[in-house]
């Protein structure tokens, strides 16, 4: 009953092969490739894997990339299945105005966050942050309802926007410091503090909505490690949050 989880982001494809489709299952193998290299997965990364019994994936990179991945999955007699956001799944209710328009990665991360929180104690509200090409900061109440969230550019997009809109601005990456005294540090610090400021604002909104109850703060994404050190609030960096969500969804569907 092994299970293959796939997360196709805007830059990379990440995968993990689990011993079973259950939360907390042992990881048998895992890896990541940039999207330009996915056409050799069947010949390289996946060639020696045992045949998975099932798979579930999350894709935000578009239909063309999804089809390329499905071609690689022809290595096995396996039906590709991809998460489509819905009104309710695995204990989470989708409060988006149009539930199916919510990004699949945000939906899966919310479900993973709910399971992560419940595994550690009584139900409480959660702020779920994904830091990648874009940054999302989402609010989940103690009953598992997704209330809404913020979307803002990641570091790279912020810097490229400034470079394209500001004459002569071509500087190396700087450091995050309290009082930047050069352009490189000013850009890096400004981007980081923009993201942490959005997180702090959403955390405050969710605490007010929850009658003062302090939310859990979970962070994930390929660039989460860059932002986490500058958060002056309790938080946990969970690199596997989307995989955790895929395991939660698959387990819940099998139990129905």
């Amino acid at each position: 009953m092994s299970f293959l989880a796939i997360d196709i982001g805007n830059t990379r494809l990440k995968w993990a092969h689990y011993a079973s489709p259950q939360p907390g299952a042992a990881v048998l193998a895992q890896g990541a490739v940039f999207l330009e290299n996915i056409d050799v997965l069947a010949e390289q990364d996946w060639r020696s894997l045992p045949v998975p019994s099932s798979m579930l994936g999350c894709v935000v990179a578009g239909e063309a990339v999804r089809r390329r991945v499905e071609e690689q999955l022809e290595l096995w007699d396996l039906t590709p299945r991809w998460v489509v956001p819905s009104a309710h799944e695995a204990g989470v209710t989708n409060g988006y105005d149009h539930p199916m328009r919510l990004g699949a990665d945000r939906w899966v991360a919310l479900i993973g966050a709910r399971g992560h929180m419940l595994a550690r104690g009584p139900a409480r509200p959660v702020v779920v942050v994904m830091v990648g090409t874009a940054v999302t900061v989402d609010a989940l109440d103690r009953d598992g309802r997704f209330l809404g969230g913020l979307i803002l550019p990641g570091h790279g997009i912020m810097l490229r926007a400034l470079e394209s809109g500001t004459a002569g601005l071509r500087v190396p990456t700087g450091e995050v410091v309290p009082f930047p005294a050069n352009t490189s540090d000013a850009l890096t610090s400004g981007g980081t503090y923009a993201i942490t400021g959005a997180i702090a604002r959403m955390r405050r909104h969710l605490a007010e909505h929850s009658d003062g109850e302090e939310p859990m703060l979970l962070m994930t994404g390929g660039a989460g490690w860059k932002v986490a050190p500058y958060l002056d609030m309790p938080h946990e960096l969970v690199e596997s949050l989307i995989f955790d969500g895929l395991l939660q969804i698959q387990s819940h569907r099998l139990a129905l």
Side-chain angles (χ1 to χ4, degrees):
M1 286 292 290
S2 65
F3 172 68
L4 181 66
I6 299 177
D7 170 23
I8 309 175
N10 291 300
T11 304
R12 296 190 304 163
L13 177 152
K14 297 176 284 294
W15 60 271
H17 189 204
Y18 290 91
S20 65
Q22 301 290 333
V27 179
L28 304 178
Q30 60 185 331
V33 297
F34 288 105
L35 296 188
E36 55 264 33
N37 298 324
I38 60 178
D39 299 306
V40 296
L41 279 167
E43 298 176 0
Q44 297 181 7
D45 299 57
W46 293 348
R47 184 176 181 179
S48 60
L49 289 183
V51 180
S53 301
S54 60
M55 70 77 58
L56 186 64
C58 168
V59 55
V60 299
E63 292 297 308
V65 173
R66 178 183 59 79
R67 287 194 295 269
R68 288 168 59 201
V69 175
E70 289 180 348
E71 289 176 359
Q72 299 303 299
L73 289 168
E74 291 175 2
L75 170 67
W76 305 298
D77 183 16
L78 192 64
T79 302
R81 301 188 186 279
W82 306 97
V83 173
V84 176
S86 57
H88 183 86
E89 183 147 33
V92 177
T93 301
N94 193 339
Y96 228 43
D97 289 344
H98 301 281
M100 292 185 65
R101 295 184 185 177
L102 178 66
D105 56 342
R106 294 171 69 189
W107 181 234
V108 173
L110 286 161
I111 292 170
R114 174 77 174 170
H116 191 87
M117 175 269 293
L118 290 175
R120 281 154 177 74
R124 59 187 289 199
V126 187
V127 175
V128 185
V129 182
M130 289 196 296
V131 186
T133 304
V135 177
T136 58
V137 186
D138 291 327
L140 191 66
D141 74 12
R142 67 172 69 89
D143 297 319
R145 179 177 175 81
F146 167 53
L147 302 174
L150 308 173
I151 303 175
L152 59 154
H155 278 97
I157 296 177
M158 289 187 199
L159 291 176
R160 288 193 294 273
L162 285 167
E163 287 177 352
S164 64
T166 307
L169 186 62
R170 296 290 189 277
V171 295
T173 301
E175 301 294 329
V176 179
V177 296
F179 303 104
N182 60 70
T183 304
S184 295
D185 290 352
L187 289 168
T188 300
S189 300
T192 299
Y193 293 147
I195 294 170
T196 57
I199 294 169
R201 175 60 64 93
M202 180 57 76
R203 181 173 176 268
R204 185 163 68 249
H205 287 329
L206 185 54
E208 292 171 353
H209 178 84
S210 306
D211 300 323
E213 183 177 11
E214 181 179 349
M216 175 182 286
L217 174 55
L218 300 179
M219 178 176 288
T220 192
W225 62 273
K226 294 181 180 180
V227 176
Y230 306 103
L231 281 171
D232 55 355
M233 59 194 78
H235 64 276
E236 184 177 351
L237 184 61
V238 186
E239 295 183 2
S240 64
L241 199 58
I242 286 184
F243 289 153
D244 293 345
L246 291 171
L247 286 165
Q248 291 280 349
I249 293 169
Q250 185 73 356
S251 174
H252 182 263
R253 290 178 178 179
L254 291 173
L256 294 177

